[in-house]
């Protein structure tokens, strides 16, 4: 009976996945309801344990035979007969296994969680239908301020669903550690960013599914940001008093998303996953840094930053991302012989340098590195990846003499001079 339910759920989720991938755009309400449902399925302990089921959903029933003969009170002829019967039964069992093996499907609770993650990936990547109703599509001008608010809510929801999905998938406990009862997915939840332990226990393919979900959320943010810019231009043409700064709540969610993405890199050793996460972090920089820059430079200048962000400006987690990628610099990787994946050291080095140099991220660096008027120096919270990377490259050129436990970064394959030349090249790329 368990196998029937598990196979039915797998089929239903695959049908649901096809529907989500085929949908052009969804309303905010539909995405929220479906997302909360899928997030709950990603959680551990919500599904039954796996069984082996046939392709048709029927259990493969094989009568259990004892693997020994009780010789008590049996004649030698009877013992021989029972041994012969056991051998024939074993041969029949092997024939059944070989003939039916192509139709055997192993379905586990983790398979259901993985398909739910793929459904969640398609959901957060889907487009946003801002004006779905007939009234909003009328000849009258749509309510722009309400539409912009919907876009902000969409950004916030995409990020929240992606983080909750990864957190729940990495939760390896059989019971709910946070005492979250059924239906709690429809309520606001505190997101635990510590996913390293659970992520490290997942196989590479399942870790990649988690990274795909985070990448899909960024694609959705790009879609929302394009709609946001169009709506802002329309509101400015109508001389609306609406503030064109991204709300602090959305920026805080983006900061949490960046920190969570960076935590996925801690302890990662598989070159395929390393390449995927490094590209994810660089894409995070490209998508989110311009939105953080909007705290300082407002297109319409309708409202001061202090009025939109009463708690002060929200910092992009550049320091957190740097701390995650710095241990991998410089890259020491030699592909194994006959490597079918084709990942080279240059590919990893270029991806790492893209993060350290914030390659492709267009924003006003001066705004992000404002000078503290009171202290006359840069604030630690406003540290950027550029300044941190520059110091690391310079330390490679001139290692600190006071640090007793400093280990040279050069290896046996590179002399110290060649290592310093590599540091000069990296510094030139940064500049």
């Amino acid at each position: 009976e368990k196998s029937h339910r598990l196979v039915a759920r797998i089929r239903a989720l695959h049908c649901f996945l096809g529907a989500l991938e085929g949908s052009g755009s969804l309303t905010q309400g539909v995405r929220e309801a479906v997302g909360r449902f899928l997030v709950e399925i990603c959680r551990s302990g919500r599904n039954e344990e796996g069984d082996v089921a046939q392709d048709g959903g029927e259990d493969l029933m094989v009568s259990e035979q004892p693997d020994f003969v009780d010789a008590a009170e049996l004649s030698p002829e009877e013992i021989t007969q029972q041994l012969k019967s056991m051998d024939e039964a074993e041969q029949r069992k092997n024939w059944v296994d070989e003939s039916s093996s192509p139709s055997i499907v192993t379905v586990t609770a983790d398979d259901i969680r993985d398909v739910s993650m793929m459904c969640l990936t398609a959901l957060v990547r889907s487009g946003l239908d801002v004006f779905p109703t007939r009234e909003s599509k009328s000849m009258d001008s749509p309510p722009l301020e309400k539409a912009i608010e919907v876009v902000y809510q969409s950004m916030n929801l995409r990020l929240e669903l992606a983080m909750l999905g990864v957190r729940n998938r990495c939760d390896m406990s059989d019971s709910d550690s946070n005492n979250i009862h059924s239906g709690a997915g429809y309520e606001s939840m505190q997101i635990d960013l510590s996913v390293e332990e659970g992520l490290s226990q997942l196989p590479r393919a399942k870790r990649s599914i988690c990274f795909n979900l985070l990448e899909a959320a960024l694609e959705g943010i790009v879609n929302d940001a394009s709609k946001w810019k169009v709506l802002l231009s329309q509101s400015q043409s109508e001389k609306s008093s609406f503030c064109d700064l991204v709300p602090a709540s959305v920026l805080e969610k983006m900061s949490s998303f960046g920190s969570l993405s960076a935590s996925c890199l801690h302890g990662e050793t598989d070159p395929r996953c390393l390449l995927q996460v490094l590209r994810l972090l660089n894409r995070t920089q490209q998508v989110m840094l311009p939105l953080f820059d909007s705290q300082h430079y407002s297109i319409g200048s309708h409202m001061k930053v202090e009025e939109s962000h009463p708690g002060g400006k929200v910092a992009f987690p550049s320091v957190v991302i740097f701390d995650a990628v710095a241990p991998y610099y410089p890259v020491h990787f030699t592909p194994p012989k006959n490597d079918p994946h084709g990942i080279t050291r240059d590919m990893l080095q270029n991806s790492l340098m893209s993060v350290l140099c914030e390659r492709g991220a267009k924003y006003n660096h001066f705004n992000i590195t404002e000078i503290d008027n009171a202290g006359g120096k840069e604030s630690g919270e406003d540290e950027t990846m550029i300044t941190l990377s520059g110091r690391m490259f310079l330390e490679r050129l001139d290692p600190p003499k006071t640090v007793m436990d400093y280990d040279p970064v050069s290896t046996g394959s590179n002399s110290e001079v060649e290592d310093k030349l590599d540091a000069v090249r990296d510094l030139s790329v940064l500049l």
Side-chain angles (χ1 to χ4, degrees):
E1 185 179 354
K2 287 183 179 180
S3 296
H4 283 288
R5 291 198 297 266
L6 291 175
V7 172
R9 290 180 183 180
I10 287 287
R11 290 175 177 171
L13 286 172
H14 275 290
C15 292
F16 197 29
L17 175 60
L20 290 173
E21 291 177 341
S23 61
S25 59
L26 300 172
T27 63
Q28 173 69 3
V30 170
R31 182 181 291 113
E32 182 174 6
V34 174
R36 300 300 183 184
F37 166 72
L38 292 173
V39 161
E40 281 298 300
I41 302 179
C42 296
R43 189 189 307 279
S44 176
R46 298 292 183 183
N47 305 292
E48 291 90 347
E49 295 297 327
D51 284 298
V52 177
Q54 285 183 336
D55 185 59
E58 299 176 359
D59 295 335
L60 178 61
M61 301 300 295
V62 179
S63 60
E64 296 184 0
Q65 298 286 345
D67 56 356
F68 65 93
V69 175
D70 188 0
E73 301 179 357
L74 292 180
S75 64
E77 291 79 9
E78 291 174 336
I79 295 175
T80 303
Q81 183 64 31
Q82 287 201 19
L83 288 173
K84 184 178 180 180
S85 300
M86 286 177 57
D87 184 60
E88 293 175 353
E90 184 67 22
Q91 292 179 1
R92 286 196 300 269
K93 179 182 177 182
N94 293 336
W95 180 84
V96 171
D97 290 342
E98 293 175 1
S99 62
S100 59
S101 58
S103 61
I104 296 298
V105 178
T106 302
V107 179
T108 65
D110 278 346
D111 295 329
I112 294 179
R113 297 170 72 186
D114 291 336
V115 180
S116 301
M117 290 284 288
M118 290 187 279
C119 291
L120 205 56
T121 299
L123 181 69
V124 299
R125 183 186 287 120
S126 61
L128 173 65
D129 194 349
V130 182
F131 304 116
T133 62
R134 181 178 303 177
E135 291 77 7
S136 62
K137 293 182 179 180
S138 63
M139 297 301 295
D140 300 333
S141 60
L144 292 177
E145 294 184 6
K146 184 177 181 180
I148 295 176
E149 288 290 349
V150 171
V151 174
Y152 292 151
Q153 294 172 13
S154 177
M155 291 181 177
N156 196 75
L157 182 63
R158 292 181 198 270
L159 298 172
E160 182 181 8
L161 291 178
M163 289 188 288
L164 285 175
V166 172
R167 176 193 176 277
N168 289 349
R169 184 62 187 90
C170 295
D171 182 11
M172 308 304 292
S173 60
D174 294 332
S175 60
D176 297 330
S177 58
N178 297 328
N179 294 325
I180 299 174
H181 302 285
S182 178
Y186 292 90
E187 302 168 2
S188 178
M189 300 174 58
Q190 294 293 330
I191 300 175
D192 182 11
L193 300 183
S194 302
V195 300
E196 299 95 326
E197 183 178 357
L199 192 65
S200 63
Q201 299 180 37
L202 295 176
R204 184 210 64 83
K206 297 182 183 295
R207 297 201 304 274
S208 181
I209 292 176
C210 296
F211 305 150
N212 289 336
L213 175 58
L214 299 177
E215 293 172 354
L218 290 176
E219 294 180 26
I221 294 296
V222 171
N223 182 282
D224 290 342
S226 63
K227 284 184 168 58
W228 173 64
K229 294 177 181 179
V230 172
L231 292 171
L232 283 182
S233 62
Q234 295 178 6
S235 64
Q236 292 165 19
S237 63
E238 296 181 5
K239 298 182 179 180
S240 171
S241 60
F242 189 77
C243 176
D244 52 14
L245 298 177
V246 178
S249 59
V250 178
L251 295 179
E252 289 172 357
K253 193 75 69 175
M254 291 183 179
S255 179
S256 299
F257 180 91
S259 299
L260 176 66
S261 300
S263 69
C264 295
L265 196 62
H266 294 309
E268 184 60 66
T269 57
D270 192 290
R272 293 166 289 180
C273 289
L274 278 174
L275 194 63
Q276 186 177 7
V277 178
L278 288 173
R279 290 172 176 173
L280 167 67
L281 293 176
N282 183 232
R283 187 57 177 161
T284 302
Q285 295 170 330
Q286 296 172 358
V287 173
M288 294 186 176
L289 272 171
L291 299 177
F292 277 81
D293 191 27
S294 69
Q295 297 177 101
H296 309 267
Y297 175 71
S298 175
I299 299 177
S301 301
H302 298 315
M303 185 182 296
K304 295 181 179 180
V305 176
E306 292 77 8
E307 298 176 3
S308 176
H309 300 166
K313 63 186 180 68
V314 182
F316 183 78
S318 294
V319 177
V320 177
I321 296 177
F322 175 81
D323 290 341
V325 302
Y328 294 93
Y329 177 84
V331 174
H332 299 299
F333 172 71
T334 302
K337 294 182 179 179
N338 302 322
D339 181 19
H341 308 293
I343 297 179
T344 63
R345 178 191 177 278
D346 289 339
M347 294 172 63
L348 292 172
Q349 178 71 10
N350 290 336
S351 297
L352 178 61
M353 287 297 296
S354 295
V355 179
L356 294 174
C357 300
E358 293 179 338
R359 190 170 293 157
K362 299 180 180 179
Y363 66 98
N364 192 330
H365 288 256
F366 177 77
N367 286 338
I368 303 297
T369 57
E370 286 182 320
I371 302 299
D372 188 355
N373 294 330
K377 58 182 180 179
E378 292 183 0
S379 172
E381 295 181 355
D382 290 333
E383 198 76 84
T384 69
M385 186 69 69
I386 304 302
T387 56
L388 293 169
S389 301
R391 294 194 195 107
M392 183 173 65
F393 297 156
L394 291 174
E395 279 190 10
R396 191 179 175 191
L397 284 171
D398 187 16
K401 304 299 188 298
T402 58
V403 180
M404 299 300 296
D405 58 347
Y406 174 76
D407 294 326
V409 295
S410 59
T411 62
S413 59
N414 285 354
S415 67
E416 186 175 355
V417 174
E418 292 174 341
D419 190 76
K420 290 181 181 294
L421 286 175
D422 287 340
V424 171
R425 296 187 189 98
D426 295 336
L427 188 60
S428 66
V429 171
L430 176 68
L431 297 177

